[in-house]
Amino acid sequence: MWSRDLDDQIREALSQEIEAARPELEGLEERVIGALATRLAKPSIWQRLRQLFLPGMTPRWAFAGGIALALALGFIIGRLITPSPTPLSAYAQAGTLFAVVDPGAQSVAVVGDFSAWQPVPLSDPDGDGVWTAVLNLPPGRYEYAFVVDGRWIGQDPLADEYVRSFGDYASVRYVGSGGGA
Amino acid sequence: MRTFLAGLALLIVAGLAFGQVPLAPAASPNDVLTLLQSLPISPELKSELLGEVPSALATGLLSPRVAVPFLQALSALPQAQIEQTLNLMYEALEEKFIVDPLLLETLKGLRLARPWPEVMGMLQLRFALLRATRTVLQAHGLVPMTPKGINPSPSAKLISELAWAIGDYLSPGGSPTDAATIESKVRERLVRLRGTALAPGVVDPLIAVLSPALVQEIAGLALNPERR
């Protein structure tokens, strides 16, 4: 008995709720369809940008263009962050340049009277086979040779002249007052 | 952050200043004397050298930059060879020649692993040329009888450069009678060094009178010292 009264009360409360909400539900379907139509009619920001820059482009061409753009950006950024090889003339202005081109060499050094014939290593940081060292030498005449993987290389194409003593050639560089050669 | 930026700026400045490949660390006159003390040579020779070397270091006839690697290289040789070389060095110091080129020639021969008699022969030829050059230039009034002035004296430098130029032609087997060729090579070298290694006021009088006869006189005297 108590249970049946309670059911009736709940049913009545629900019907009152529904009646109260009925005015708000009227025309709901039309309102939803209208809102959807408005949203579809307004293009997104990407669609607007695409329309602005790539009018009439098919997705395939847009994809290819995107790849090309990414490659170009990568190249530009790469050029900006990777140090480009310094021209040899720039080295020579900073001092006396010693250079050897030998892509297969493991170690290259210059020995000369400026170093008491002790080896001064040349470096090839970018691995292109051009080994260089820039020495700050006072004005004067200097004899030198390269030692490439233990071999004595006495004739440097950049030398001013050559001398021969102890059965081997050595190169000679005259350094001017600017310190370069 | 400010400390970091200051450190970064300091690093950049240091990088720009020291971007060149450094040569060997600077040696001091004390390093030379210490090495000399440690060499296995007779006490008499050591005493003579220790009497001459400090003034040579002070006047620029000998530089620590060359003397230290030279003495280090000598220390690996037998005692007789060390003494033979140091005796020649001592004589050159006594006569107030610039000895760095002699030491460098020794180091070059050792670097090329040449037989010891060849190295010693070269040193003796160079030393003979130094003596002959000075004798001839003094006889012609081109250098004063007693070198003086700034150290090393411009005259000592001139003697050294001229002797070396002639020696560079003779040492690989060039004929001392080929005076015209020697004179041409010597002249070219002196002109190139004029104003840098050689003061114009010292080298110009020599260039003015340089002749095949003059260089032949020097070469002849060096190769036949009994003519002195």
Side-chain angles (χ1 to χ4, degrees):
Chain A
M1 184 63 189
W2 179 82
S3 171
R4 186 173 294 164
D5 286 346
L6 187 60
D7 283 348
D8 289 343
Q9 285 174 7
I10 290 171
R11 207 172 285 123
E12 190 178 346
L14 283 173
S15 66
Q16 283 174 358
E17 288 277 333
I18 290 169
E19 283 304 318
R22 193 177 295 279
E24 290 180 24
L25 292 174
E26 279 178 8
L28 176 65
E29 191 176 353
E30 290 78 8
R31 290 204 303 274
V32 169
I33 289 170
L36 284 173
T38 307
R39 185 174 293 181
L40 284 174
K42 186 180 174 186
S44 69
I45 189 164
W46 293 113
Q47 285 171 319
R48 276 185 284 170
L49 283 173
R50 190 179 152 203
Q51 284 299 318
L52 182 65
F53 293 110
L54 308 166
M57 183 171 280
T58 63
R60 182 182 295 177
W61 279 109
F63 178 73
I67 294 287
L69 189 65
L71 286 173
L73 276 173
F75 178 77
I76 290 167
I77 292 169
R79 290 287 297 179
L80 288 174
I81 63 173
T82 305
S84 56
T86 310
L88 293 183
S89 56
Y91 280 121
Q93 284 166 6
T96 304
L97 169 71
F98 293 91
V100 170
V101 180
D102 190 339
Q106 298 298 308
S107 74
V108 179
V110 61
V111 293
D113 46 15
F114 47 77
S115 68
W117 296 97
Q118 308 301 303
V120 177
L122 273 66
S123 63
D124 177 18
D126 55 4
D128 62 356
V130 181
W131 299 74
T132 57
V134 178
L135 306 181
N136 188 12
L137 301 176
R141 177 186 180 276
Y142 297 97
E143 271 187 44
Y144 66 97
F146 295 112
V147 180
V148 178
D149 294 336
R151 283 178 298 115
W152 180 276
I153 308 292
Q155 290 179 293
D156 175 16
L158 293 176
D160 294 316
E161 62 187 41
Y162 305 106
V163 289
R164 194 161 159 260
S165 60
F166 294 116
D168 272 291
Y169 281 100
S171 298
V172 174
R173 202 81 76 81
Y174 289 87
V175 175
S177 53
Chain B
M1 186 65 181
R2 279 166 71 180
T3 309
F4 171 75
L5 287 176
L8 191 65
L10 192 66
L11 273 177
I12 290 169
V13 170
L16 289 172
F18 302 106
Q20 294 157 331
V21 177
L23 294 175
S28 72
N30 272 342
D31 296 334
V32 179
L33 298 175
T34 307
L35 273 168
L36 201 52
Q37 288 278 14
S38 69
L39 285 177
I41 55 176
S42 71
E44 296 78 25
L45 178 58
K46 193 175 285 186
S47 168
E48 286 173 336
L49 284 166
L50 288 171
E52 201 67 46
V53 165
S55 65
L57 288 166
T59 55
L61 298 178
L62 174 66
S63 65
R65 177 189 71 82
V66 175
V68 165
F70 168 75
L71 294 173
Q72 284 171 337
L74 279 195
S75 65
L77 299 176
Q79 183 178 348
Q81 293 176 1
I82 300 174
E83 291 187 340
Q84 201 177 6
T85 317
L86 289 179
N87 268 316
L88 192 142
M89 176 180 145
Y90 174 67
E91 281 186 69
L93 285 175
E94 259 197 327
E95 296 187 36
K96 306 302 175 199
F97 289 117
I98 302 172
V99 295
D100 277 355
L102 286 170
L103 274 50
L104 286 169
E105 196 77 352
T106 312
L107 285 168
K108 185 181 178 187
L110 293 174
R111 159 71 55 187
L112 283 163
R114 304 310 300 171
W116 182 250
E118 190 182 342
V119 176
M120 206 58 220
M122 177 71 83
L123 289 184
Q124 283 161 345
L125 171 66
R126 295 291 194 184
F127 187 36
L129 278 164
L130 282 172
R131 283 174 154 167
T133 302
R134 184 179 57 192
T135 301
V136 172
L137 291 190
Q138 283 180 340
H140 287 264
L142 293 165
V143 296
M145 294 305 282
T146 308
K148 56 184 177 184
I150 58 167
N151 293 314
S153 82
S155 298
K157 185 74 182 154
L158 182 67
I159 290 166
S160 182
E161 291 295 347
L162 179 54
W164 238 256
I166 297 171
D168 282 347
Y169 184 80
L170 296 179
S171 63
S175 169
T177 59
D178 194 1
T181 307
I182 304 176
E183 189 267 349
S184 147
K185 289 187 175 297
V186 167
R187 179 181 296 277
E188 185 186 338
R189 186 139 146 191
L190 294 178
V191 168
R192 291 189 102 153
L193 291 172
R194 182 184 181 275
T196 54
L198 293 173
V202 173
V203 73
D204 285 350
L206 172 59
I207 291 173
V209 299
L210 192 67
S211 66
L214 187 80
V215 294
Q216 194 161 28
E217 190 180 347
I218 295 170
L221 187 59
L223 298 174
N224 304 287
E226 65 276 5
R227 282 167 46 187
R228 189 180 299 211

